[in-house]
Amino acid sequence: MTIRRFLYLFMLAAFVGCVGLTPALAQEEAEELMEESTPKKKKGKKSKKSKKGDKKSKKKASKNSEEQVEEESDAEAEEKKGPSKPAVVEAMEKFKILNGKPNLKADYYIYLCSASWCGYCQACMPVAMEQYKKMKASRKVELIIIGGDKTEKEAVDYLKKYKSKNACIMFSALQATQFQGLPGVGMPGFPSISVVDKDGKMIKNVIGASQVKEVLTNWRELTIGKK
């Protein structure tokens, strides 16, 4: 029994003595008052629970707000980076480029495997240089030479012989990547040619002088002239 309850019963007993209530009535009065006081305690417990719930809700809302801010920051960072580079351009940046600078804004790329020691390759070079002038004028197609000579100097000297300003990647460097370094490169050979779009999707791959010449002559139909 709490002190508060004891005092209450004591005062009730005194009141009974003063007003002349019977003990039964006094007991009823006491029980009614006790019942009235009980719900208040329960309400107090509920209030505590609601406060805890409010705190949890606030913490959850704060956490969600922080996550949203992080997501927005990541999105802003991606926007600042700008669009990703085409697959072919990104791949070429990993190689040492000889002789000239490639057109990195082209929509199509043509890889021509050629070397000074290959007679068939030499027979294709005049056609390649003639068609390259037209490719360059279109600004949408770029011809890349895959040099098959033993040294970089030999590869560059070979291109200079035909007054070529084409970018050149050494065949040995491509071979070191198991021919996976340039997307869309088909079966290598001398001479051989692969036509790909800027995303590295292969359009045509042939080996042999006559077929290489045919592709070089019909490059427009295979690329920008496609329906």
Side-chain angles (χ1 to χ4, degrees):
M1 181 182 293
T2 62
I3 295 172
R4 185 175 178 183
R5 188 176 178 187
F6 176 78
L7 290 173
Y8 170 75
L9 293 174
F10 177 77
M11 291 173 67
L12 184 61
F15 178 74
V16 168
C18 293
V19 300
L21 289 174
T22 63
L25 289 173
Q27 186 177 355
E28 287 179 7
E29 288 289 334
E31 287 176 356
E32 287 178 4
L33 289 170
M34 288 299 292
E35 287 176 0
E36 289 176 1
S37 64
T38 303
K40 290 181 181 180
K41 291 181 180 179
K42 289 182 179 179
K43 286 181 181 178
K45 289 181 180 179
K46 287 182 180 178
S47 178
K48 287 181 181 178
K49 287 183 180 178
S50 65
K51 285 181 181 179
K52 288 181 180 179
D54 290 342
K55 287 182 180 179
K56 288 182 179 179
S57 297
K58 286 180 181 178
K59 286 183 180 179
K60 189 174 181 180
S62 178
K63 186 177 180 181
N64 291 338
S65 179
E66 289 176 1
E67 289 177 353
Q68 186 177 356
V69 170
E70 288 178 2
E71 288 176 0
E72 288 176 356
S73 298
D74 292 341
E76 288 176 1
E78 288 296 326
E79 286 180 4
K80 288 180 180 179
K81 286 181 182 179
S84 58
K85 296 177 182 178
V88 175
V89 173
E90 191 172 355
M92 282 195 293
E93 289 178 348
K94 299 176 183 178
F95 289 95
K96 183 178 181 180
I97 306 295
L98 306 174
N99 194 56
K101 294 182 179 180
N103 175 13
L104 301 180
K105 295 182 179 180
D107 292 327
Y108 297 91
Y109 291 85
I110 300 176
Y111 309 129
L112 173 62
C113 288
S114 190
S116 63
W117 48 263
C118 170
Y120 293 108
C121 295
Q122 293 180 42
C124 293
M125 283 301 287
V127 179
M129 294 303 99
E130 180 184 352
Q131 294 301 321
Y132 180 60
K133 292 177 184 178
K134 300 174 183 178
M135 294 178 196
K136 192 174 181 180
S138 75
R139 298 183 180 181
K140 294 183 178 181
V141 182
E142 178 68 0
L143 178 66
I144 308 294
I145 305 297
I146 308 297
D149 286 281
K150 292 182 179 179
T151 67
E152 293 178 359
K153 185 179 183 306
E154 288 176 340
V156 173
D157 288 345
Y158 169 60
L159 295 177
K160 285 182 177 179
K161 179 181 177 181
Y162 297 95
K163 298 180 180 180
S164 168
K165 294 183 180 180
N166 300 78
C168 175
I169 294 173
M170 292 299 289
F171 180 84
S172 56
L174 184 59
Q175 189 176 32
T177 68
Q178 297 181 343
F179 303 102
Q180 300 300 312
L182 284 177
V185 171
M187 186 180 296
F190 292 89
S192 68
I193 200 166
S194 296
V195 182
V196 303
D197 64 15
K198 62 183 179 181
D199 296 318
K201 181 181 178 181
M202 182 192 290
I203 296 170
K204 190 82 171 178
N205 170 240
V206 298
I207 299 174
S210 60
Q211 290 179 295
V212 167
K213 288 179 181 178
E214 184 179 351
V215 170
L216 286 169
T217 303
N218 298 310
W219 65 270
R220 186 178 294 275
E221 288 75 9
L222 293 168
T223 57
I224 57 177
K226 288 176 63 180
K227 294 183 180 179

